Amino acid sequence: MTKQEIAKGCYEANRIYCKSIGDDSLPAWDDAAPWQKMSVINGVEFHQANPDATPSDSHENWVKDRLADGWKWGEKKNVETKEHPCLQSFDKLSVEQQRKDMIFLAVAKELSTENDVASASEKVLTAIIKDVLSEKIEEMKAPKEKSKKSIVEKIVEKVAPKKTLKKK
């Protein structure tokens, strides 16, 4: 796979996750601005050059990239003024925002090791289905006991390096 194809996969995975948490600010990859695409490609290149990088390292790389492009911290994301609320250290991000870096890392690793999107997608979907089924079976056995980890966290743990999430 090319870096651009891997970047598209990472971007779309994060876009879908963002939508799931109520953030509709990311356009589809084909409609994304060139600076957005370059930022994601930079992230892919970072992970290919640093295979042992953590989600925190990924975030730090993204922050450096944004700051070098003239962005600064702001309460709300504003493309015109180049302000973004995630321009802070990883440990200060909410768990929801930390997950974006975890997802990016997991997808980048998976797509970098596969020859085609179909194989990578099959692996990711298989992991998701297994986790969903396992969780449902556990709920049926003991409905009062629920896992404290979301399915996204469980999948990321399987694909990405172990990293403890810190709550804000």
Side-chain angles (χ1 to χ4, degrees):
M1 295 186 86
T2 68
K3 283 185 265 190
Q4 288 77 11
E5 290 170 325
I6 296 168
K8 181 178 180 177
C10 292
Y11 179 89
E12 287 298 332
N14 261 316
R15 185 175 73 84
I16 291 165
Y17 172 71
C18 286
K19 279 186 155 213
S20 79
I21 60 171
D23 176 1
D24 291 323
S25 68
L26 295 176
W29 175 262
D30 293 336
D31 299 324
W35 65 266
Q36 286 175 306
K37 291 180 180 180
M38 286 309 303
S39 177
V40 179
I41 291 168
N42 173 304
V44 168
E45 290 172 343
F46 172 78
H47 283 292
Q48 289 177 334
N50 301 281
D52 295 326
T54 64
S56 179
D57 297 331
S58 182
H59 182 72
E60 185 178 321
N61 179 67
W62 176 82
V63 168
K64 285 180 186 175
D65 187 45
R66 294 294 89 227
L67 293 175
D69 196 32
W71 285 70
K72 59 186 179 276
W73 183 88
E75 276 191 43
K76 292 186 178 182
K77 182 177 175 182
N78 185 324
V79 176
E80 291 176 16
T81 60
K82 292 189 171 184
E83 294 178 322
H84 203 296
C86 293
L87 286 171
Q88 55 185 316
S89 66
F90 184 80
D91 63 337
K92 290 184 180 176
L93 295 173
S94 68
V95 172
E96 285 181 334
Q97 294 303 314
Q98 288 180 358
R99 284 186 188 131
K100 289 179 0 186
D101 293 296
M102 298 170 95
I103 291 167
F104 188 97
L105 171 67
V107 174
K109 279 189 169 199
E110 191 63 39
L111 294 179
S112 292
T113 59
E114 287 296 332
N115 293 326
D116 62 86
V117 176
S119 296
S121 297
E122 184 178 339
K123 280 187 177 182
V124 172
L125 287 173
T126 300
I128 291 169
I129 290 167
K130 282 181 181 177
D131 281 345
V132 169
L133 290 175
S134 294
E135 191 171 278
K136 293 298 176 192
I137 290 169
E138 285 180 36
E139 285 176 12
M140 287 169 40
K141 287 180 180 176
K144 293 179 184 176
E145 296 177 27
K146 288 199 174 184
S147 172
K148 297 199 189 265
K149 293 182 183 176
S150 72
I151 289 175
V152 170
E153 289 171 310
K154 290 177 185 177
I155 292 167
V156 169
E157 281 180 353
K158 287 184 178 185
V159 181
K162 301 284 185 225
K163 184 72 177 176
T164 305
L165 293 177
K166 295 180 182 178
K167 291 193 178 181
K168 199 171 182 183

